[in-house]
Amino acid sequence: MRRLHPFLITLLTASLAGCASTSTAPSASRATAFHVDVPSVAHPQGETPHWWYRNGAAKAAAHGAMQGKAKNVIVFLGDGMSLTTVAAARIFEGQRKGMPGEENLLSWEHFPHTAFSKTYNTDSQTPDSAGTMTAIASGVKSHMGAIGVAAGHKGECTPDGSKDLLSWLMLADSAGLATGIVTTARITHATPAATYAHVSHRDWENDTDLPPEATEAGCKDIAQQLLAAARFGHGPTVALGGGRGEFLPVDMRDPEEDDKVGQRLDGRNLVAEWQQAHPQGAYVTNTQQLQAAADAPQLLGLFEYDHMQFEHDRRKDAQGEPSLADLTRTAIRTLSRKPEGFVLLVEGARIDHANHYGNAYRALDETVAMSDAVQAAVEATSRDDTLILVTADHSHTLNFVGYPVRGNPILGKVRGQGGEDDTPGDLARDQNGQTFTTLTYANGPGYTGASNRQPAGPKHFLHAPSSVEPSEGRPDLSQVDTEHPDYLQEALVPLKSESHGGEDVGIWAIGPGSDAFRGTLEQNAIYHVIVQATPKLRARLCAAGTCDANGVPVELPRPVDFEKK
């Protein structure tokens, strides 16, 4: 008899449990929902941090999040993972398996609860990763570029902490839970940084990046704030990603890239400082070292000088980088030793970067890699005590177009019809008789006019032009391999870097409290579902006096109240 994969067994069990409780769960959730009064305000001028926090709390409480009994929380963040990226990646993965592809599902698409997330920043219809992750991590929407601070202006300095926001990572540390961060970007990049740092400008990753006036005013760079996060408890138990250059001084060579030195001008070696603070912990820079550190109580892994490599490009031997799934398994194994529970962020960061490069192959490949990581998390945890949610911070301009036949290669040229009324044939053609691909970008470096980097015609990875010439029509793709990993999909508007999109992104959830994810939510409500569905988190908030009579955390917490005394 053929054995079922453990992941399928887990999902089948979850589905049966869901079927068994279908008749009672919805009514029970409604019966135990709580009402929170939220004042009406003028938009956007009336949207204060306190209003955003209370508004998000009201939505989560009305959806029954307070009934959650999560011990552990894992948040998977696909940076830039638009719904189009998800749809194309599911087909991409299916076709790798020899299937037509459309019938395939990524791991999280089996989850029982889904919602949409509205992603705008307080000052921008189309958001960035800093403001969006701040909303997800702290329950308060903020400005474009803000990391862990309430809305204001990029570059302003508030060292008194008056704009600082409390993330669920800091809250969990203060409540005695283990905490972890996993990312394929620099660990000081916008998404991971929003869980432990407070800066009004996302680019302040090391002290060299701060303008003199900000330094003089007392602002701190993001890298040193990772170590300072221990003031809430112990700091992250696990921190795995890229970005060694942000932690090393300028007089120190990188251990793997001899032509590079650290970026810090303050003389601090933050890796050495972390090691001194965690004498039993392990600092690792490659797969072999990560495997050898399996029993270490704390882990700091900086696997690249800059961002980690794309999945397609990474070395897969012992001296190379671990996969996102490997990092996820390691983080869960280490964090699970804490009997009180844990909170973990896992970011598939390079989905976003590949989309910015206009390279659909790597964007889809990175999405599949995150699907593998989600599967690993489901297999390593229990649905009974672990809330797992998968979402994105924002979308991109990737388009899924034309009328290709079933099973047509998702990265290929459209084979079938060019329009609804066309007669199905071989390759579809535009009105000029040219073939075209299923996937395109609305803007970006795939624009086919000549640039200062590449000649007119199809572009290939990596292309970051500083000047372009107008395109004279579309190129002939008949002899172009559009399925090649380095092919850049055509872009309508020429930009050095493809832009984000402003439409909603998905939320998929499983585990205690996951049924609170339904409908269309403001992005900051994600935080409130997490804290309300995790008893230890909401108890810590109530102990600080932020809860109403029903025990719902409704008042904006001050980070200083959660620091060790």
Side-chain angles (χ1 to χ4, degrees):
M1 180 177 176
R2 187 178 180 185
R3 296 180 62 191
L4 285 175
H5 193 283
F7 178 59
L8 295 178
I9 294 173
T10 302
L11 289 174
L12 181 58
T13 302
S15 298
L16 291 174
C19 290
S21 61
T22 300
S23 61
T24 59
S27 60
S29 179
R30 284 193 293 269
T32 51
F34 293 102
H35 175 74
V36 174
D37 287 323
V38 180
S40 297
V41 297
H43 300 283
Q45 58 268 30
E47 300 167 352
T48 67
H50 294 271
W51 181 87
W52 277 117
Y53 195 87
R54 192 175 188 90
N55 188 63
K59 191 71 170 181
H63 280 208
M66 290 286 289
Q67 303 313 303
K69 298 292 188 289
K71 174 185 175 184
N72 312 310
V73 179
I74 306 176
V75 177
F76 281 91
L77 195 291
D79 199 311
M81 191 175 71
S82 64
L83 290 173
T84 305
T85 303
V86 172
R90 103 169 46 110
I91 297 174
F92 180 77
E93 182 190 51
Q95 291 179 346
R96 277 183 168 177
K97 297 175 180 177
M99 302 153 52
E102 298 85 6
E103 72 280 26
N104 186 51
L105 289 173
L106 298 173
S107 61
W108 61 78
E109 295 185 284
H110 294 277
F111 287 5
H113 302 289
T114 59
F116 291 119
S117 171
K118 296 165 65 177
T119 64
Y120 62 94
N121 295 144
T122 56
D123 59 348
S124 183
Q125 285 184 338
T126 299
D128 84 323
S129 296
T132 50
M133 189 58 195
T134 293
I136 294 169
S138 70
V140 174
K141 285 210 177 197
S142 194
H143 66 263
M144 195 171 182
I147 289 179
V149 294
H153 304 286
K154 254 187 181 182
E156 70 177 331
C157 202
T158 52
D160 60 355
S162 58
K163 286 186 175 290
D164 291 359
L165 300 170
L166 183 78
S167 74
W168 37 253
L169 198 85
M170 300 167 188
L171 173 63
D173 196 14
S174 179
L177 279 67
T179 61
I181 302 165
V182 170
T183 180
T184 50
R186 296 187 297 270
I187 210 160
T188 51
H189 210 234
T191 298
T195 64
Y196 65 83
H198 306 102
V199 292
S200 66
H201 200 307
R202 60 179 291 173
D203 292 344
W204 293 354
E205 295 187 49
N206 67 71
D207 68 304
T208 310
D209 298 326
L210 270 68
E213 56 272 21
T215 303
E216 292 168 8
C219 277
K220 306 295 183 184
D221 63 88
I222 294 170
Q224 65 170 296
Q225 289 192 50
L226 179 64
L227 275 67
R231 70 187 185 278
F232 293 101
H234 300 284
T237 304
V238 174
L240 304 172
R244 283 192 302 267
E246 316 295 330
F247 292 83
L248 302 176
V250 293
D251 60 354
M252 184 173 183
R253 292 201 174 276
D254 184 80
E256 292 187 350
E257 300 184 52
D258 195 53
D259 61 334
K260 293 183 172 64
V261 296
Q263 299 181 42
R264 303 194 65 83
L265 288 172
D266 58 7
R268 294 178 65 181
N269 181 338
L270 298 183
V271 171
E273 291 183 25
W274 184 91
Q275 291 175 306
Q276 185 175 10
H278 303 86
Q280 304 303 313
Y283 167 60
V284 298
T285 61
N286 60 39
T287 298
Q288 184 178 50
Q289 293 175 4
L290 182 68
Q291 293 171 343
D295 297 325
Q298 300 93 23
L299 283 172
L300 173 63
L302 298 175
F303 301 97
E304 273 289 338
Y305 180 84
D306 195 11
H307 299 306
M308 291 181 67
Q309 295 294 315
F310 285 108
E311 176 65 20
H312 174 71
D313 304 307
R314 73 178 177 90
R315 282 179 56 184
K316 297 175 176 63
D317 60 13
Q319 300 305 309
E321 299 174 9
S323 68
L324 187 60
D326 292 334
L327 294 174
T328 301
R329 291 187 194 96
T330 299
I332 292 172
R333 183 179 63 239
T334 302
L335 296 172
S336 295
R337 297 184 186 126
K338 185 84 168 179
E340 291 81 4
F342 66 84
V343 168
L344 171 65
L345 167 71
V346 180
E347 182 197 19
R350 307 227 67 191
I351 301 168
D352 175 72
H353 298 161
N355 275 322
H356 278 307
Y357 289 140
N359 181 220
Y361 179 95
R362 284 177 175 79
L364 306 188
D365 192 42
E366 292 294 311
T367 305
V368 172
M370 197 176 91
S371 178
D372 293 340
V374 172
Q375 176 175 330
V378 171
E379 294 173 354
T381 58
S382 167
R383 189 195 179 192
D384 294 335
D385 65 8
T386 303
L387 169 62
I388 301 178
L389 68 98
V390 178
T391 190
D393 46 358
H394 56 74
S395 73
H396 273 272
T397 72
L398 183 65
N399 301 304
F400 189 148
V401 299
Y403 299 91
V405 297
R406 281 288 304 272
N408 198 66
I410 191 63
L411 293 167
K413 294 179 271 289
V414 173
R415 190 175 296 277
Q417 299 170 244
E420 290 184 49
D421 300 323
D422 289 357
T423 301
D426 190 19
L427 289 172
R429 297 182 182 276
D430 65 15
Q431 289 186 311
N432 292 318
Q434 299 280 31
T435 59
F436 55 95
T437 57
T438 301
L439 301 181
T440 63
Y441 286 94
N443 58 46
Y447 182 75
T448 57
S451 76
N452 64 317
R453 300 284 184 178
Q454 295 182 25
K459 299 299 187 290
H460 60 269
F461 179 85
L462 180 67
H463 182 226
S466 56
S467 64
V468 296
E469 297 176 9
S471 173
E472 297 181 5
R474 293 187 55 247
D476 180 4
L477 298 179
S478 59
Q479 302 303 311
V480 176
D481 180 7
T482 64
E483 298 177 57
H484 191 282
D486 290 343
Y487 174 75
L488 298 192
Q489 281 63 35
E490 288 181 71
L492 175 64
V493 177
L495 291 179
K496 183 176 182 178
S497 175
E498 180 266 356
S499 78
H500 295 169
E503 72 271 24
D504 297 352
V505 296
I507 306 171
W508 298 262
I510 191 171
S514 60
D515 57 349
F517 289 109
R518 59 184 187 272
T520 299
L521 303 174
E522 291 286 2
Q523 195 164 43
N524 63 302
I526 294 173
Y527 160 97
H528 294 277
V529 174
I530 291 170
V531 300
Q532 290 182 27
T534 311
K536 284 188 172 66
L537 298 186
R538 65 175 186 257
R540 181 66 185 92
L541 287 166
C542 289
T546 71
C547 297
D548 64 11
N550 291 317
V552 180
V554 295
E555 301 296 337
L556 183 67
R558 299 189 312 158
V560 67
D561 294 336
F562 295 81
E563 296 178 4
K564 292 181 293 188
K565 304 302 180 187

